[in-house]
Amino acid sequence: MKLLAFSLSLRQSSYNRKLIKRVEQIVQTSKIEIEVLDLLQYEMPAYNADIQENPGFPEAAERFRKKLESAQGVIIASPEYNFSYPGHFKNTFDWISRYRPMPWANKVALFLSASPSLVGGNRGLWHLRVPFEACGTFVYPEMFSLATANQAFNESDELIDSVAQKRLTDLVLSFLRYVEGLQYINF
Ligand SMILES: Cc1cc2nc3c(=O)[nH]c(=O)nc-3n(C[C@H](O)[C@H](O)[C@H](O)COP(=O)(O)O)c2cc1C
């Protein structure tokens, strides 16, 4: 079984990228494979049905769809932009949602966020749930939001607060148990 993991922040020193690094390390302690993607490698033009018709799907959408097909689901860390999630990802999501069969359907998803604020970017994750659930993804009910993320990591990008690290580890491991359980269900 394999999961994809990626940050919706594109900047190099992103707190959400750092969170994905922590998640990668946790998943590597399990039997489930994890592949971290960099969405900078999957930039797509704004969705336009005319482009879809001719010349067709952007090659970045083709590559992303193939990655998604190779995995059971995704772990996403998102910054909060104006109480929601970054617009570039809605565009990616929309392109991928035009393939048939629907690539997002019957996948699993775990959502995380990190923000310098005290809310940790959690409000954006509620918006992120909507398109996923609309397209048939099993979004894990529990989420993780890292508050004051600008003070949360040490120089090795580890979480300084052991309580936060334990909460993240517990959540990721319980998500992995859920993913393993779902493989016995025939969709
Ligand atoms: C367009 C924009 C809107 C933002 N809106 C919010 C917001 O609503 N809530 C919040 O906590 N932070 C907001 N921020 C600040 C981000 O949380 C901050 O830039 C954070 O570092 C982004 O995550 P990253 O470190 O993974 O890039 C916003 C930043 C940008 C660029």
Side-chain angles (χ1 to χ4, degrees):
M1 297 194 82
K2 179 176 152 187
L3 295 171
L4 305 177
F6 48 88
S7 159
L8 301 192
S9 171
L10 303 175
R11 71 184 190 100
Q12 289 307 327
S13 50
S14 151
Y15 307 123
N16 285 283
R17 279 188 194 267
K18 292 180 186 187
L19 207 50
I20 288 294
K21 264 200 199 174
R22 302 274 52 88
V23 167
E24 182 182 23
Q25 203 178 40
I26 298 165
V27 177
Q28 281 170 343
T29 66
S30 78
K31 281 184 264 163
I32 293 181
E33 189 189 336
I34 183 162
E35 181 176 358
V36 175
L37 303 184
D38 184 344
L39 292 195
L40 278 174
Q41 307 300 318
Y42 297 90
E43 283 187 316
M44 300 167 203
Y47 178 78
N48 178 338
D50 291 339
I51 297 179
Q52 183 187 333
E53 205 173 294
N54 185 23
F57 284 91
E59 63 85 33
E62 292 285 346
R63 283 189 287 112
F64 192 92
R65 177 180 65 107
K66 284 195 183 114
K67 286 285 180 198
L68 196 55
E69 276 175 359
S70 75
Q72 272 63 47
V74 294
I75 301 180
I76 296 176
S78 180
E80 183 177 86
Y81 283 1
N82 301 314
F83 285 33
S84 188
Y85 63 94
H88 70 83
F89 184 69
K90 182 62 162 57
N91 188 51
T92 298
F93 189 94
D94 290 344
W95 270 114
I96 299 303
S97 74
R98 304 311 292 168
Y99 287 103
R100 290 295 175 273
M102 165 64 80
W104 298 113
N106 299 324
K107 300 289 181 195
V108 291
L110 175 67
F111 292 166
L112 320 168
S113 64
S115 160
S117 86
L118 291 177
V119 186
N122 186 263
R123 292 165 298 207
L125 298 185
W126 291 98
H127 288 241
L128 188 58
R129 296 188 80 94
V130 173
F132 276 93
E133 301 215 0
C135 292
T137 304
F138 293 90
V139 183
Y140 200 60
E142 206 183 328
M143 305 185 283
F144 176 89
S145 292
L146 182 67
T148 55
N150 51 324
Q151 300 161 26
F153 296 94
N154 66 19
E155 282 174 2
S156 310
D157 291 344
E158 293 157 345
L159 283 168
I160 294 166
D161 180 6
S162 59
V163 175
Q165 176 64 45
K166 183 172 184 324
R167 271 184 45 230
L168 179 65
T169 304
D170 288 350
L171 174 61
V172 171
L173 293 181
S174 76
F175 174 68
L176 297 184
R177 283 195 293 277
Y178 166 78
V179 175
E180 281 175 331
L182 277 188
Q183 71 182 307
Y184 300 111
I185 298 175
N186 260 333
F187 294 112

